[in-house]
Amino acid sequence: MNNSNETEAIVNKIVIVQVTRIGDLLQTFQAACTLKSTYPTAELHLIARRQFAQGLQFLLKNVFDKIIYLDIRDFVGTDPLIELAEVRANLHNWLAPLAHEKYDLLLNLSWSESSSLLSTLVAAKYKLGLRKNTLNKTVITDEWSAFVFSFVMGSNLNPFSLVDIYRNMMAKGLPPYQAAAFFPQAREIHYDFVVHPFASTPK
């Protein structure tokens, strides 16, 4: 990295949006471990649903520098007659600290309408995964996210591990000289097993 442009372009601060269930969080954790081991100085943040991530904090804190919990009750409270203006104010207050983080890369590893809206609202220089454009249309700009959205969701025929897909998406968000260092470690044969007995499908 002798080139000053490379130094300026380096991705140092990454936020990952993973608002789905425990199994997806565990796979996100595995992919993030590779990224963190390749770039130990990179700062990784995670946005995850409190009900799923809080119980895994003992594990997630080993790779993520900050975990931002998402809980719908933070926005709507417990009052069924809450005004829309109050909900919007609560959302603004939740987002405000994230605006000061100055993320280099946002990586949305969830495939839902709510996650695409959230990814649109969180500021970052570069974004991968689902998000919305100014016309409120879903936007996908990288190949791996498009592959997952088109062929993996709702199908049992995916030939790739989600961990490997997540690693490829992460590398896509890195400058070429960073990605080149990231990929060799991502392709090493290394077996980790996590027993997750609450999966909703036979596999």
Side-chain angles (χ1 to χ4, degrees):
M1 265 184 268
N2 299 324
N3 189 306
S4 60
N5 291 331
E6 289 186 351
T7 304
E8 292 173 4
I10 193 168
V11 171
N12 281 323
K13 200 165 190 178
I14 300 171
V15 59
I16 295 176
V17 177
Q18 180 52 276
V19 293
T20 46
R21 299 186 178 185
I22 291 175
D24 298 280
L25 272 172
L26 291 171
Q27 293 175 98
T28 298
F29 167 77
Q30 288 294 322
C33 281
T34 301
L35 184 61
K36 192 70 171 179
S37 64
T38 308
Y39 297 105
T41 59
E43 188 172 345
L44 299 184
H45 292 189
L46 173 69
I47 298 176
R49 291 169 68 183
R50 184 184 302 276
Q51 68 184 102
F52 300 128
Q54 200 161 44
L56 294 174
Q57 185 178 2
F58 73 97
L59 187 67
L60 299 173
K61 68 181 183 181
N62 294 321
V63 66
F64 292 104
D65 300 281
K66 181 184 286 188
I67 302 172
I68 301 114
Y69 292 114
L70 181 68
D71 193 327
I72 190 65
R73 289 172 294 187
D74 294 337
F75 309 136
V76 300
T78 56
D79 182 1
L81 300 178
I82 188 171
E83 296 288 339
L84 178 59
E86 187 176 346
V87 174
R88 293 180 63 181
N90 292 339
L91 176 60
H92 176 79
N93 292 336
W94 186 85
L95 289 167
L98 298 180
H100 299 291
E101 294 290 355
K102 301 187 186 312
Y103 292 116
D104 297 308
L105 171 65
L106 180 146
L107 183 60
N108 181 9
L109 298 183
S110 306
W111 315 98
S112 64
E113 188 77 6
S114 58
S115 72
S116 65
L117 290 168
L118 179 61
S119 297
T120 304
L121 295 173
V122 177
K125 294 178 184 176
Y126 187 46
K127 298 182 180 183
L128 296 177
L130 301 185
R131 63 185 188 279
K132 298 290 186 179
N133 62 15
T134 54
L135 299 176
N136 199 34
K137 300 293 185 181
T138 300
V139 175
I140 307 175
T141 56
D142 62 289
E143 296 90 345
W144 278 104
S145 295
F147 171 80
V148 174
F149 190 71
S150 301
F151 298 105
V152 178
M153 301 311 298
S155 171
N156 294 321
L157 303 178
N158 172 37
F160 302 108
S161 159
L162 270 182
V163 175
D164 290 333
I165 290 174
Y166 290 165
R167 285 172 175 161
N168 277 277
M169 288 176 64
M170 289 177 183
K172 179 68 177 178
L174 299 174
Y177 51 89
Q178 281 186 283
F182 175 70
F183 266 118
Q185 291 198 31
R187 290 173 178 170
E188 287 180 0
I189 297 176
H190 179 69
Y191 297 100
D192 290 315
F193 295 92
V194 176
V195 178
H196 177 44
F198 309 109
S200 58
T201 61
K203 67 178 179 180

